[in-house]
Amino acid sequence: MTLLLLILAIIPLIAGVVIKIMFVPASSGIDITGAHIFFTIDLPMGGLPITEAQVNSWLVILSLFFFCLFLTHDLKTTDMSIRQLIAEWIVEKVEGLVRSNMGEFFICFAPFIAAILGLSACSSLLTLIGLFPPTSDINIVAGWAIMTFILITYYKFKAGPWIYIRSFGEPVPFLAPLNIISEVATPISMAFRHYGNVLSGSIISVLVSALLTTLSQLIFGKLPGFLGEFPFLRIGLPAILSIYFDLFSGCLQAFIFAMLTMLYVSGGFPEDEYFKRKRMKEAKRKQQNVQLENTNGGI
Amino acid sequence: MLELAIGIILGGCALGAGCAMIAGIGPGIGEGNAVAAACEAIGRQPESRSAVTTTMLMGCAVAETTGLYALVIAILLIFVAPGRFVNILLDAIG
C-alpha cells in the first residue's frame, strides 16, 4: 500500500516526461518559447487552448495528492513511522507560520497556505527534471493571484459592505481613485512577481548556455569528430546558475507568494469592526430571546 | 522599402526593451538599502537573525515588483511586439 501510493506519486512526473518527449517538438539549439499548445477546445466564446503549462500543473497536483496520501495514510498514536513524523512536522510548521503571521482567528487558513506553498514550490522545481515549469506561464500564476484576491475581498466584506466601501475613503476621501487602483494592482503585482522571477531565471540560464556553446565552438571547434561538437564550457556554470534560479528562487518565490497571501488577507480583515458587530448581533439575539420569553410568560 | 520598415520596427522594439530595463536601477538601490539595514540590525541584535531575514526577504520581494513590471514590458517588446507590429504594417500596406 505504501509503495503503491509512492509509485502513484511518481507516475505523473514520468508521464510528464513522456508527454514532453512524444508531443513537444524538440527544439534545435537554443530558443526561448512559451508553453507548447497541445490542442484547442472550441467553445462558443472562443478557443480554449490546452497548453503544456496547464498539463504540467495538473500533473503536479496529481503527484502532490498521492504524495500527501502516502504521507498521511495509516496514522498511529504509538510507534510512529518516519513518514508520519514528516507529515506532522509539515503540519506543525505551517500552523506555526500561519499563527505567527495571521493570528489565532485565521488558523483555518493553514491547509490553504500549505497547498499554495507545495504547489508553487513543486511547480518551480519541475525544471529539475527538464519539464516546462507551470509558474513561468502567467496564466497559471494569475489564476492563483485572482483566487487570493477573491479571498481578500471576501474577508474585507466580513464586517459588512458599508465598512468595505468606507475603507476606500481612508485616510482622506479624495484618495479613493488611488485606493481602487492599488486594490486592483494587488493580484497583478503578485502574479507578475512570481511569474517574472521564474521566467527571468530561465531566460538568463538559456542565454548563458547559448553564450557558452558559442564560446566552446570557437575554442574547441577545430578538434576532430565528437570532441569538436561537444560544448565543454557548458559543464559547470549553468549548473551553479540553476542552483540559484531553480532551487533557491523557486522556493523563495513560493514562500513569498504564501507570505503575501497571509499578510494581505489578515491585513485587509477589519478585526475590531468584525468582533464589535458579532457582539452586537449576539446581544440583539439575546434581547429577542428575552422578549420572546417575556411574551410567552405573559400569555 | 519594406525591409527598411521592418528593420526600424525590430530596432525600435529592441531599443525600447533596453530602455525599459533601466528600471532595474530602482530595485537594485532599494534592495541594497534593505539588505544594508538588515545587516546592521543583525549586527546589533544577533539573536533576531531569523525574523530579520524573513522580513528582509519579504521587503526585497516587494521592492522588486517595479523591476519585474519593466521586465515583463521588455519581454513583451522582444518576443510579442515585433510580430504584432509587422502584421499591422503589412495590413496597412495591404
Side-chain angles (χ1 to χ4, degrees):
Chain A
M1 187 66 189
T2 310
L3 202 63
L4 180 75
L5 282 170
L6 194 59
I7 291 170
L8 275 176
I10 296 172
I11 280 179
L13 301 180
I14 299 171
V17 176
V18 170
I19 288 174
K20 169 151 183 155
I21 291 170
M22 281 174 67
F23 294 110
V24 180
S27 57
S28 58
I30 308 294
D31 58 345
I32 302 164
T33 50
H36 179 70
I37 296 175
F38 288 124
F39 54 89
T40 308
I41 299 172
D42 285 323
L43 290 179
M45 50 274 193
L48 177 70
I50 300 295
T51 63
E52 208 180 348
Q54 273 164 306
V55 173
N56 281 354
S57 74
W58 293 337
L59 292 175
V60 170
I61 291 169
L62 258 184
S63 173
L64 273 181
F65 172 70
F66 284 117
F67 186 68
C68 290
L69 278 186
F70 160 73
L71 281 183
T72 55
H73 81 274
D74 186 24
L75 296 178
K76 293 173 200 145
T77 48
T78 52
D79 62 18
M80 298 178 257
S81 53
I82 297 172
R83 188 159 55 67
Q84 186 180 346
L85 290 178
I86 292 174
E88 284 181 1
W89 180 78
I90 293 173
V91 170
E92 258 171 35
K93 279 283 166 196
V94 174
E95 282 195 342
L97 194 70
V98 171
R99 196 172 280 131
S100 66
N101 283 307
M102 300 174 85
E104 197 63 44
F105 179 77
F106 283 104
I107 200 66
C108 56
F109 260 65
F112 176 67
I113 298 298
I116 280 191
L117 266 175
L119 189 56
S120 168
C122 291
S123 300
S124 298
L125 293 182
L126 217 55
T127 42
L128 291 184
I129 54 172
L131 293 178
F132 182 85
T135 41
S136 74
D137 187 334
I138 191 158
N139 300 316
I140 305 290
V141 191
W144 301 347
I146 289 170
M147 198 165 61
T148 304
F149 178 68
I150 291 171
L151 267 179
I152 295 169
T153 314
Y154 173 74
Y155 273 92
K156 279 189 176 173
F157 259 104
K158 269 272 184 182
W162 172 236
I163 286 169
Y164 175 71
I165 294 166
R166 212 174 55 187
S167 73
F168 284 110
E170 278 170 0
V172 266
F174 71 82
L175 282 180
L178 287 181
N179 280 330
I180 291 171
I181 290 174
S182 72
E183 189 81 7
V184 176
T186 307
I188 296 176
S189 75
M190 277 177 89
F192 276 3
R193 187 175 298 127
H194 197 154
Y195 142 86
N197 269 293
V198 178
L199 182 67
S200 65
S202 60
I203 286 181
I204 291 173
S205 306
V206 167
L207 287 180
V208 167
S209 43
L211 171 77
L212 291 177
T213 313
T214 320
L215 265 183
S216 59
Q217 266 173 5
L218 277 179
I219 297 172
F220 301 110
K222 297 283 187 293
L223 291 176
F226 170 73
L227 285 176
E229 288 167 11
F230 191 74
F232 282 105
L233 288 179
R234 265 171 77 177
I235 302 170
L237 187 58
I240 296 168
L241 281 180
S242 164
I243 289 178
Y244 176 76
F245 285 124
D246 294 340
L247 275 176
F248 178 71
S249 189
C251 295
L252 184 67
Q253 288 311 314
F255 177 69
I256 284 170
F257 194 91
M259 200 79 179
L260 283 178
T261 305
M262 289 191 282
L263 291 182
Y264 281 138
V265 171
S266 64
F269 177 60
E271 207 165 350
D272 301 340
E273 310 277 355
Y274 175 73
F275 284 115
K276 207 196 276 174
R277 206 175 135 102
K278 206 175 169 186
R279 239 177 286 132
M280 268 168 62
K281 268 186 181 169
E282 267 172 19
K284 219 175 188 177
R285 202 178 300 142
K286 218 173 264 173
Q287 217 173 8
Q288 275 176 352
N289 284 349
V290 170
Q291 273 180 356
L292 264 176
E293 272 174 26
N294 280 349
T295 47
N296 285 349
I299 292 165
Chain B
M1 207 56 202
L2 190 63
E3 286 87 357
L4 184 66
I6 291 176
I8 289 175
I9 287 177
L10 293 181
C13 286
L15 272 179
C19 291
M21 285 317 289
I22 293 175
I25 295 173
I29 295 174
E31 287 181 24
N33 281 341
V35 177
C39 287
E40 224 168 81
I42 294 175
R44 211 174 288 142
Q45 283 176 305
E47 70 276 4
S48 68
R49 185 194 178 89
S50 61
V52 169
T53 312
T54 315
T55 317
M56 183 199 76
L57 285 178
M58 284 293 305
C60 283
V62 174
E64 229 172 32
T65 311
T66 48
L68 287 168
Y69 289 155
L71 175 81
V72 171
I73 300 284
I75 286 172
L76 286 180
L77 273 174
I78 290 180
F79 293 111
V80 183
R84 289 273 166 90
F85 289 158
V86 168
N87 281 343
I88 291 172
L89 177 75
L90 293 180
D91 284 347
I93 291 174

